[in-house]
Amino acid sequence: MCGIAGILSDSIDLRQQNDMVWRVSNSLKMRGPDAHGEYISRNAALIHRRLSVIDPENGKQPMRFGKYIIVYNGEIYNTDEIRRELRFHGYVFETNCDTEVVLKSFHLWQENCAEKLNGIFAFAIWDDSARQLYMYRDRVGVKPFFYAPAKNGLVFASEPKALFKYPGIVAEINLQSMQEILGIGPAKTPGISLFKNVREILPGHYIIFNEYGYCDQKYWDVTYHEHTDDYQTTVEKVSYLVRDAVKRQMISDVPVCTFLSGGLDSSIVTSLAYSCLNGEKLN
């Protein structure tokens, strides 16, 4: 699962705020019990709590490449394809984890990197030279990503409770969101959280934040096309897409399990997952 968080501030020296940084990190411990890491400079602190799945030994975060530092939560299902493309462009890899692939994808493709990623993710990349932050969320918002303005800065995290460890950010209910959840829940207006002054990055969006403010950009949206395939072709395409999705999500350096309720969908996923294990036990 993992947890990410970060603090940007022009008003305080974050190198002298170790206790606060630790409080933010510790609030996300349940998301990432296996390891933690921090990058702290005068104006930026990036925090990571890790649940180790891919390359447990070498995939520690925050991870740095040149002037870019990343904290990342997610899984990229086309990692191998992107890694091959990056190697073609001369990139060398020191780990087997998808974090390094995402980071070097950003180094090459900059703001357009998310268009290359097939997966679920929330990540932030700090440009240590330009003092600029990039924050990305996956296409349909599987991974959570909250942020809140702070005095002369910004705080972000995988969960709102981490934001409230920063002085001046308080947990005050947003009545509109509460009404929406009670009335039509679990749906609510995209981008609005349960708390005042706390927002979510919209699915399929990224935000650039610097000393001049922030810019919200959309990199993906649903497109609609007329369905012209006959029945047999439709069956074949759906079958391929489901099998391909399950196979891609089986990549792990730790044991994989499924949640089997006994319904049709979980039974199909479990059956396909088992077929990928070559006779090994599926929990």
Side-chain angles (χ1 to χ4, degrees):
M1 182 163 54
C2 295
I4 64 172
I7 304 167
L8 274 66
S9 177
D10 287 332
S11 60
I12 58 176
D13 187 343
L14 294 171
R15 295 171 298 184
Q16 301 176 7
Q17 300 294 325
N18 288 333
D19 288 345
M20 180 182 65
V21 171
W22 175 248
R23 288 196 299 271
V24 172
S25 174
N26 201 44
S27 71
L28 297 172
K29 185 176 181 180
M30 292 301 294
R31 295 187 66 89
D34 296 331
H36 69 87
E38 300 81 28
Y39 164 84
I40 305 175
S41 66
R42 177 180 177 84
N43 302 113
L46 299 184
I47 299 160
H48 189 259
R49 280 284 182 171
R50 190 179 187 206
L51 180 68
S52 300
V53 176
I54 303 293
D55 200 352
E57 294 300 321
N58 301 311
K60 296 177 181 179
Q61 298 184 48
M63 184 179 289
R64 182 164 193 157
F65 183 66
K67 65 178 183 175
Y68 300 120
I69 303 101
I70 189 173
V71 284
Y72 159 80
N73 168 32
E75 187 173 5
I76 305 303
Y77 305 134
N78 62 337
T79 297
D80 290 343
E81 294 96 316
I82 298 176
R83 187 184 283 115
R84 285 195 294 269
E85 188 171 356
L86 289 169
R87 281 176 173 153
F88 176 80
H89 288 282
Y91 288 85
V92 176
F93 290 87
E94 301 175 359
T95 74
N96 293 320
C97 67
D98 48 0
T99 307
E100 186 179 11
V101 171
V102 173
L103 179 57
K104 291 180 177 177
S105 294
F106 180 84
H107 186 271
L108 177 61
W109 294 300
Q110 294 290 292
E111 290 95 330
N112 298 322
C113 68
E115 298 173 14
K116 293 278 188 176
L117 306 179
N118 174 356
I120 54 176
F121 52 82
F123 64 88
I125 294 178
W126 171 247
D127 183 334
D128 195 39
S129 176
R131 295 175 61 195
Q132 186 158 269
L133 183 73
Y134 301 83
M135 301 181 289
Y136 287 81
R137 193 176 184 194
D138 61 69
R139 287 168 174 77
V140 294
V142 175
K143 291 297 183 180
F145 204 143
F146 298 89
Y147 67 97
K151 184 178 180 181
N152 297 321
L154 180 84
V155 184
F156 68 85
S158 296
E159 297 185 20
K161 65 183 181 182
L163 307 178
F164 304 138
K165 302 299 180 181
Y166 187 86
I169 300 179
V170 296
E172 185 177 356
I173 290 294
N174 181 332
L175 292 180
Q176 176 189 338
S177 294
M178 181 63 76
Q179 290 166 352
E180 290 180 354
I181 288 176
L182 293 176
I184 57 174
K188 62 178 181 61
T189 302
I192 305 298
S193 81
L194 266 177
F195 303 97
K196 286 185 178 180
N197 302 318
V198 173
R199 297 187 63 86
E200 290 182 281
I201 295 180
L202 289 166
H205 282 236
Y206 68 92
I207 290 176
I208 303 174
F209 179 85
N210 54 35
E211 60 183 315
Y212 303 108
Y214 72 90
C215 177
D216 189 333
Q217 298 286 332
K218 179 189 292 186
Y219 69 86
W220 180 86
D221 202 353
V222 176
T223 57
Y224 300 89
H225 306 279
E226 182 181 359
H227 184 75
T228 58
D229 293 338
D230 60 22
Y231 177 79
Q232 187 59 40
T233 302
T234 300
V235 169
E236 291 172 357
K237 285 187 176 180
V238 171
S239 176
Y240 167 77
L241 290 170
V242 174
R243 292 172 186 276
D244 182 64
V246 173
K247 182 179 180 180
R248 287 179 180 273
Q249 295 183 43
M250 291 294 292
I251 299 173
S252 174
D253 292 332
V254 296
V256 174
C257 72
T258 63
F259 292 115
L260 176 58
S261 67
L264 183 61
D265 50 358
S266 67
S267 297
I268 291 172
V269 169
T270 299
S271 176
L272 293 176
Y274 177 73
S275 69
C276 296
L277 292 178
N278 299 318
E280 295 182 21
K281 182 179 179 181
L282 176 67
N283 293 316

